[in-house]
Each structure stands twice: as structure tokens, then as C-alpha cells.
Amino acid sequence: MNNIIGLLPVALFLLLMLFISIYVRRQAARHEGGFIKEYFIGGRRLGGFVLAMTTVATYSSVSSFVGGPGQAWNIGYGWLYMAMVQVVVIFLVLGIFGKKMAIIGRKINAVTVVDVIRRRYQSDLLANLAACVIVIFFSATMVAQFVGGAKLFEAVTGYDYLIGLALFGLIVVLYTTVGGFRGVAITDTLCALAMIAGMLLLSVGVIQAGGGLANIANTIKSTDSAMLEPLSDGKMPYTLYFTQWLLVGVCTIALPQSVVRSLSYKDTKSLHRAMIIGTAVIAIVTFGMHWVGILTKGFMTGPVESYGGTIDNIIPYAIVHTMHPVLAGITIIGPIAATISTVSSLLIAASSAVIKDVCLNIAEKKHRQYSDKTLAAASMGLTVILGLLVFWIAVEPPSVIWKINMFAFGGLEAAFFWILLFGLFWPKANKTGALCSLTGGVATYCVTMAAGYKFLSMHQIFLAIIMALVCFLVGNAIGKPHDEATQRLFFPEKF
Amino acid sequence: MNEKEKFLQINKEAKATAFALLIVVVYWLLAGFGLAGVEVTVFYMPLWAFAGCFGTAVIALIIAVVLSKKVFKNMSLQAEGEEADE
């Protein structure tokens, strides 16, 4: 397409994000309570709708729009069936951690997940390790998101990779820096709406291009009937289904970027509303986008080689070949929104890990006090530097981007799953167990991923999560239980 | 609710959420793999796909509504005796 029409809708959307974050920043200046709480957790004032949308938008990334639906084109209904396990993630994380994190977070004035972990296990070593894991894995994920978004932008608009990357990459870094967590949450809300709009537009285009649903169903049946089977002619073994329940279902409750949202909402009514709205939105986006991926088979019947040799080209190809340039320009806001809403949340969380979890903790130990002005300059300075660094890495993209993304995803789950679950619900869980679990889980995941080793031919998350559990229990048996003050803080019902 | 009641209620809610997960998993298994052999088409897709995919989305939503409205209870997020900071 390569004309201004393709560029304009995205550019306008990005400008809107920027204006919103500036507005949010000005509003925030009116609230008392200290810069750090306002900037990194939005002053704990999120309502139910925004809480739901920001949790979904953070979770749904560019691969929900490109890689996943591309696989659905390739594999068929089995891939959609597997993707649907994600419908549980919102009510799980909010239902299990939502209230306890919120109450304890208020008591100890926590603005990060690591704040809570530090208080629960009373270990600076554990807290620092956790902060490191967060910064490294979040950065890798951000790069992968940038690369995915920019590649899609290039494929759809015809503009160079770098132009797309510069356009949305720099703006997302800028608006995250200016707006802080509250800016991220509100822009996320618009991003989630843009994702739904993009999905709806594309589904209309794809159904028309395939000659209607009945026609598409016939085309699929005659060209690739394995697409109609759950095991898809051996491409979808049962073990894959099982491990995906762990990787993109159950274990996602431990992702720090999701859990931190439990510290940000206003009251329990908001939490309850968010569980319903969030589940509805993730169900619509997950079902819709993967179904669209299957429907593209209605007019894209060639082998993957005819679409550039990678399934990542399926959705961009479908957008370009089924839609009027103006509509294509509007539709592409969806995947770009999915990209920037994930990046913004990871960026503010990574920045909080460095500033709050590491720097301010050291300052506190040395009894140093800083003015809000200094804290603001440091927090915003660090956010922009971290963002630009990630942007710079994405300019020369590494080849295995989707792998890195999944590497980070499972790594974070292996690190935090038992620490958070046991930390909040098992009074006997102690520091030694937590340290063993974090190191054992992450090491197992990274080593088996790098070596390509699959225990019982199952995805690496299976072994990693079991090793993290075993390490926790062994370490816990060696270590000592925590003092009564900690027990009373986290488990007052036991006294 | 006092502090103790709140935390007991939270434990109950967490358990209910875990149980809700179990219901979704069982439904997903029965509706998808369970119906995989049936040669019926609903809304231009195989019955197992419709029930296992679209159906799972509906079940998850119903469960989220039941959890929020029936199981989860409103409570103050502030500690006892403290004023709300807003």
C-alpha cells in the first residue's frame, strides 16, 4: 500500500495515547500520597472497567494477533481449542491473588510484587534476584513485542520496518514515561477496545474474501480436512494440550505484570466487576482472532511457502488482500495496540523493579531521604532510558523472537508461581524454600529450553514447574519459619 | 467484617476460584475431546469445536459471573481502624 492513508489511522491513535498520558499526568498532580505510589501503581484508584481492560491488554500481546492466528490457519480448530484455555487467566489471577495482594499491599505500602515478596520472605537477596529476573525477562519480551509489531506494520503498510518501529516504539516509551502506571492503565483500556475493533473488521473482510462461512467450511473440508480434527493429524498431541494449560493457563497467575494489577484497584466492587469484564474480553479476543486465522483458509489455500514461508505472514497478508486501504489502516491499530499495551505495562513494571525494588531499598538501608522531585526525575529518567535501550535492541532484531518471548513467559512463571502461591496461602513457606524455588525453577526452564530437552516429550514448563516445587519443598524443610509479626501480617486468621 | 473474617473469606474465595478452574477444565475436556467423533456441524464448524471453543468461552464467563456475584463478598481493603486514604 505504501501511502499516507495506511499510516494516518495508526499515527492518530498513537497521538491520542500521548495526549491521554499527558492529561493523566496533570490529573495525578492533584492527588496527595507521594510520587512513587502515584507513578508506579496509579495511586490505587483504578475502577473495575479499567482494571479489566489493562489486565487483558497486558496479557494479550502481538502474538495473540499474528503468531497464534497464523498457527490456527496452519493447524485448524485444534489450535483454537488449545488457545481457549486462556479464558481462565483473568478470573484466576484476580480471584486468587486479587484481594490478599490488595489488603497486604495497603498495609505495607507496596507498589510492586517484589515489595510483597520481600516483606513475606524477609530476604533482600530473594527480592534482588526477583527484580533481576523481572528486568531481564521483561526486556526480552519488550524486544520481541517491538519486533513483532514493526514486522507486521511493514508487511501491512509497506513502510520500512524502522519507520514503524520508530513511530510506535518511541511513542510508547514516551507516553509510558509521562503517564506512569495510571497512564498505562487508561491507554491499555483504549488499546483493548482497538483490539476488539480490529478483530471485528478483519473478520468481516476475511469472511467476505472466503465467499461466506458456508463456502469457507467447504474449502477447508476439501483442502485440509485434518483442520477439523482436534489432534490435527498428529500435529496436536495430547501432551501439547496439557502443557499449554500450564503455560498459557494456570501458571500465568504468577506473571508479575498481571499480579501487580492487584495492588492498583480501588475497592472490591471494582475487582468483582473486572473478573467478569476481563473474562468476557479475553474470551472475545482469543476466540475471535484464532477463528479469523482459521477462516483465512477460505481464500489462502496454498502452502505456507506461497505466503513468504512463515505463518507470521498469514494475518498481514489477509489484512492487505481483503481490505480497502483505509480499513486496513484502521484494522492494523488492533495488533499495534496489542503490542504497545504489553510493552507499556512491562516497561513501567521493569522501571519500578530498578527504582523501587533495588535503588530505593538501598537508600532506605542507608537512611537517605529523597524529595518527590528527585524521585520523579530518577523514575522518569530510568523509564525513558530502559525504553530506549529496548528500542535500540529491536532495531537489529535477533532471529528467534517468538522463542525469546516464550522463553521469558515460562521463565517468569517458573520463578514466581510457587513463591506467590505459597507465600500468600501457606504460613510455613519460608525464605530458603523461596530462594531454592526461584533459582531451581528458572535454571531448569532456561537450561532445558536452550538444550531443547523435553521431559516425557512435554513442553519445558512442565519439568520447570515441578522442579520449582521440589526445590521449594526441599529448601523449606531446611529453612526456619518466619517470625510472628510476618505470620500475623499475612495470616491473621491463624491467630 | 473484621480482619480474621476477611482473611477467612479470602481463603474461601481462592479455593472457589481453583474449583472454578477445575469445572472449566472438565467441561473443556468433555465438550472438545468428548465430542470429537460426532459428525455434526454447528455454525459451520464441527460440533466438538463449537462446544469446546465457543462453549468454553461461555462457561468461563458464566463462572466468572457466579464467582463475582455469589461467592465473592465486598470488604474494606483498609486495615481495621485505619481511615481510607482517598
Side-chain angles (χ1 to χ4, degrees), chain A residues 31-32 37 43-45 77-78 80-82 84-85 87-88 91-96 98-100 102-104 106-107 213-215 217 221 227-231 236 238 241-242 245 250 265-273 275-277 279-280 283-284 287 291 424-425 488-495, chain B residues 3-18 20-22 24-34 36-37 39 41 43-46 48-69 71-80 82 85-86:
Chain A
H31 287 271
E32 301 280 321
K37 186 174 129 195
R44 306 194 208 283
R45 291 196 306 279
Y77 283 104
L80 171 64
Y81 182 44
M82 189 188 76
M84 289 315 289
V85 310
V87 294
V88 300
F91 78 70
L92 269 187
V93 68
L94 296 179
I96 291 183
K99 277 182 197 169
K100 198 144 186 181
I103 290 179
I104 289 166
R106 276 167 172 77
K107 280 187 188 171
L213 286 171
N215 240 335
K221 204 168 185 178
M227 285 180 72
L228 303 172
E229 306 292 333
L231 301 181
M236 296 290 296
Y238 288 111
Y241 280 104
F242 171 66
W245 265 107
V250 180
Y265 66 90
K266 179 170 62 180
D267 51 24
T268 51
K269 237 183 236 156
S270 306
L271 181 83
H272 301 163
R273 271 191 76 197
M275 283 173 66
I276 300 174
I277 299 170
T279 301
I284 291 168
F287 182 84
W291 193 41
L424 291 179
F425 294 102
R488 278 189 185 276
L489 175 65
F490 282 81
F491 308 98
E493 75 274 23
K494 304 281 181 205
F495 291 88
Chain B
E3 191 81 348
K4 202 167 175 173
E5 287 165 341
K6 271 195 222 170
F7 276 71
L8 286 171
Q9 171 65 19
I10 287 173
N11 290 346
K12 205 173 114 189
E13 291 174 5
K15 275 182 202 143
T17 308
L21 167 72
L22 191 69
V24 176
V25 174
V26 169
Y27 171 83
W28 175 89
L29 273 171
L30 293 177
F33 288 124
E39 294 275 335
T41 307
F43 201 65
Y44 307 107
M45 54 177 102
W48 72 266
F50 184 82
C53 304
F54 187 77
T56 300
V58 174
I59 292 290
L61 187 59
I62 293 171
I63 278 176
V65 171
V66 171
L67 281 179
S68 300
K69 304 266 178 206
V71 182
F72 281 53
K73 293 208 169 101
N74 281 316
M75 59 178 75
S76 163
L77 297 172
Q78 301 297 332
E80 268 172 72
E82 273 181 39
D85 60 359
E86 298 303 327

Side-chain angles (χ1 to χ4, degrees), chain A residues 237-464:
Chain A
Y238 288 111
T239 48
L240 183 60
Y241 280 104
F242 171 66
T243 50
Q244 288 292 307
W245 265 107
L246 295 178
L247 188 67
V248 298
V250 180
C251 296
T252 61
I253 61 167
L255 292 172
Q257 66 269 42
S258 302
V259 179
V260 72
R261 278 156 172 72
S262 301
L263 296 171
S264 71
Y265 66 90
K266 179 170 62 180
D267 51 24
T268 51
K269 237 183 236 156
S270 306
L271 181 83
H272 301 163
R273 271 191 76 197
M275 283 173 66
I276 300 174
I277 299 170
T279 301
V281 174
I282 197 151
I284 291 168
V285 173
T286 308
F287 182 84
M289 269 319 293
H290 289 87
W291 193 41
V292 164
I294 295 170
L295 296 178
T296 53
K297 203 71 175 190
F299 62 99
M300 296 170 70
T301 50
V304 72
E305 286 72 33
S306 38
Y307 310 104
T310 159
I311 51 138
D312 289 344
N313 284 344
I314 299 298
I315 292 300
Y317 183 98
I319 295 176
V320 174
H321 288 84
T322 64
M323 305 180 94
H324 183 275
V326 177
L327 277 182
I330 296 172
T331 303
I332 195 195
I333 295 176
I336 295 292
T339 308
I340 60 176
S341 58
T342 301
V343 170
S344 61
S345 305
L346 295 179
L347 180 55
I348 198 72
S351 169
S352 73
V354 177
I355 290 284
K356 178 70 172 65
D357 299 335
V358 179
C359 298
L360 278 181
N361 185 58
I362 294 171
E364 216 170 275
K365 292 257 147 67
K366 293 183 177 167
H367 301 290
R368 283 200 192 130
Q369 293 279 339
Y370 296 103
S371 70
D372 257 12
K373 222 173 171 180
T374 319
L375 289 175
S379 304
M380 292 174 69
L382 190 98
T383 309
V384 84
I385 289 169
L386 201 60
L388 291 177
L389 190 71
V390 165
F391 173 81
W392 178 68
I393 298 172
V395 169
E396 288 281 342
S399 59
V400 284
I401 51 156
W402 303 113
K403 279 256 163 65
I404 304 173
N405 197 13
M406 288 317 270
F407 207 102
F409 205 76
L412 287 164
E413 293 174 355
F416 292 108
F417 187 77
W418 301 110
I419 291 187
L420 287 172
L421 200 62
F422 286 162
L424 291 179
F425 294 102
W426 189 32
K428 288 202 178 73
N430 65 39
K431 169 170 99 174
T432 321
L435 272 168
C436 292
S437 180
L438 184 134
T439 45
V442 173
T444 306
Y445 191 70
C446 291
V447 169
T448 52
M449 276 298 254
Y453 170 72
K454 289 189 168 185
F455 177 66
L456 300 175
S457 69
M458 283 202 244
H459 188 283
Q460 288 81 355
I461 188 66
F462 177 67
L463 186 63

Side-chain angles (χ1 to χ4, degrees), chain A residues 88-267:
Chain A
V88 300
V89 302
I90 304 295
F91 78 70
L92 269 187
V93 68
L94 296 179
I96 291 183
F97 293 141
K99 277 182 197 169
K100 198 144 186 181
M101 285 292 289
I103 290 179
I104 289 166
R106 276 167 172 77
K107 280 187 188 171
I108 64 172
N109 203 17
V111 302
T112 66
V113 175
V114 174
D115 280 338
V116 177
I117 292 175
R118 188 195 304 274
R119 180 64 192 84
R120 171 65 179 85
Y121 293 106
Q122 292 169 296
S123 165
D124 284 334
L125 175 62
L126 178 68
N128 290 336
L129 275 175
C132 274
V133 168
I134 287 176
V135 172
I136 292 169
F137 282 147
F138 279 15
S139 301
T141 310
M142 283 190 267
V143 172
Q145 291 294 312
F146 270 162
V147 172
K151 276 195 174 163
L152 174 110
F153 185 85
E154 183 181 37
V156 173
T157 63
Y159 283 97
D160 187 61
Y161 174 87
L162 281 181
I163 293 182
L165 183 64
L167 181 70
F168 70 77
L170 293 179
I171 290 185
V172 68
V173 171
L174 195 60
Y175 84 65
T176 307
T177 304
V178 172
F181 184 90
R182 195 169 170 77
V184 166
I186 293 178
T187 49
D188 274 5
T189 304
L190 281 162
C191 285
L193 295 173
M195 283 184 232
I196 297 174
M199 179 207 82
L200 290 175
L201 282 172
L202 184 59
S203 63
V204 173
V206 165
I207 291 171
Q208 280 178 349
L213 286 171
N215 240 335
I216 295 172
N218 285 331
T219 312
I220 293 173
K221 204 168 185 178
S222 57
T223 53
D224 189 358
S225 61
M227 285 180 72
L228 303 172
E229 306 292 333
L231 301 181
S232 195
D233 215 9
K235 279 183 266 183
M236 296 290 296
Y238 288 111
T239 48
L240 183 60
Y241 280 104
F242 171 66
T243 50
Q244 288 292 307
W245 265 107
L246 295 178
L247 188 67
V248 298
V250 180
C251 296
T252 61
I253 61 167
L255 292 172
Q257 66 269 42
S258 302
V259 179
V260 72
R261 278 156 172 72
S262 301
L263 296 171
S264 71
Y265 66 90
K266 179 170 62 180
D267 51 24

